[in-house]
Amino acid sequence: MFDTHELGRRPGALQRLSRTVSAPKDLGIEEVVGVPEGDSVELELRLESVMEGVLVTGTARASAEGECVRCLEPLRLDVAADFQEMFTYPDTDDRIRGAAAAPGDDAEDENVVFLKDGLFDLEPVLRDAVVLALPMQPVCREDCAGLCPQCGIRLDDDPDHHHDATDIRWAALQGLAGTMRDGEKDNMGGADAGVDEKQEK
């Protein structure tokens, strides 16, 4: 929770904060990449008092861990997430808070986040911002070659790695050719020649 009492309610008042907080559980994309629970998250915040409440603008910086989607090796990457959220005073005049919305606009009401006794909880905002800043398909590096689709070896460890490609459609004929003796091939060739001579007569 962050306290806004020191900021006051005079519109235009500003307050800058630098805080280090512990990462909450499941801060990231499940089973893909995320900030480990308890790791440090550096916050740079700008609190601005406005008529409706407190406008919070900030940046969160942390280190995320995951697995490369190409080679499956563990990776660690720096993440910086920008965010902005309006925290509304509970006693804000309805004429101000709802000026842009028609009376009874439920969608507008759902988007309003209220201050509670001058305090605001940044965790939901932080969670959304970090998730959006993380890559959906993290890689250890941009040119990661990945794994061999046939044997699973990491290709970056053996750049010359390859398999001789065999077309399974020709496998049976290759086996037959390997069992034939040179003489059999010649006899077949002679028979063909004889047939051609008879056809000519």
Side-chain angles (χ1 to χ4, degrees), residues 29 32-33 69 131-138:
I29 305 170
V32 179
V33 63
V69 296
V131 168
L132 289 174
L134 289 171
M136 292 295 294
Q137 294 187 317

Side-chain angles (χ1 to χ4, degrees), residues 14-69:
L14 292 174
Q15 183 180 12
R16 297 183 184 276
L17 299 174
S18 296
R19 296 279 179 86
T20 300
V21 300
S22 296
K25 184 179 180 181
D26 300 327
L27 182 60
I29 305 170
E30 187 176 1
E31 297 183 359
V32 179
V33 63
V35 181
E37 183 179 2
D39 272 18
S40 296
V41 179
E42 303 291 335
L43 298 176
E44 294 292 335
L45 304 177
R46 179 179 184 271
L47 281 58
E48 181 179 2
S49 179
V50 295
M51 291 292 292
E52 299 89 346
V54 177
L55 180 64
V56 178
T57 305
T59 300
R61 290 184 174 83
S63 292
E65 295 180 356
E67 187 178 80
C68 177
V69 296

Side-chain angles (χ1 to χ4, degrees), residues 38-123:
D39 272 18
S40 296
V41 179
E42 303 291 335
L43 298 176
E44 294 292 335
L45 304 177
R46 179 179 184 271
L47 281 58
E48 181 179 2
S49 179
V50 295
M51 291 292 292
E52 299 89 346
V54 177
L55 180 64
V56 178
T57 305
T59 300
R61 290 184 174 83
S63 292
E65 295 180 356
E67 187 178 80
C68 177
V69 296
R70 296 180 188 167
C71 68
L72 307 182
E73 288 292 310
L75 59 81
R76 191 172 183 90
L77 54 88
D78 294 330
V79 57
D82 297 324
F83 54 86
Q84 186 175 71
E85 185 67 58
M86 169 68 77
F87 293 91
T88 305
Y89 297 126
D91 59 350
T92 297
D93 188 349
D94 290 338
R95 291 174 300 178
I96 297 175
R97 192 174 58 199
D105 190 335
D106 294 336
E108 182 71 18
D109 292 341
E110 290 178 1
N111 293 329
V112 176
V113 183
F114 291 102
L115 290 165
K116 296 180 180 179
D117 298 324
L119 305 175
F120 65 87
D121 182 6
L122 200 59
E123 182 177 326

Side-chain angles (χ1 to χ4, degrees), residues 108-192:
E108 182 71 18
D109 292 341
E110 290 178 1
N111 293 329
V112 176
V113 183
F114 291 102
L115 290 165
K116 296 180 180 179
D117 298 324
L119 305 175
F120 65 87
D121 182 6
L122 200 59
E123 182 177 326
V125 179
L126 178 63
R127 189 179 299 280
D128 290 345
V130 169
V131 168
L132 289 174
L134 289 171
M136 292 295 294
Q137 294 187 317
V139 291
C140 57
R141 65 174 193 269
E142 290 301 323
D143 60 347
C144 174
L147 302 177
C148 172
Q150 296 186 45
C151 67
I153 189 174
R154 188 168 182 263
L155 296 176
D156 284 332
D157 295 336
D158 185 3
D160 298 326
H161 176 79
H162 71 281
H163 295 271
D164 293 330
T166 301
D167 192 330
I168 60 174
R169 294 172 296 181
W170 295 101
L173 291 177
Q174 287 176 347
L176 179 62
T179 60
M180 294 177 66
R181 294 190 298 273
D182 293 339
E184 291 175 335
K185 294 179 183 178
D186 292 341
N187 290 338
M188 290 180 66
D192 291 341

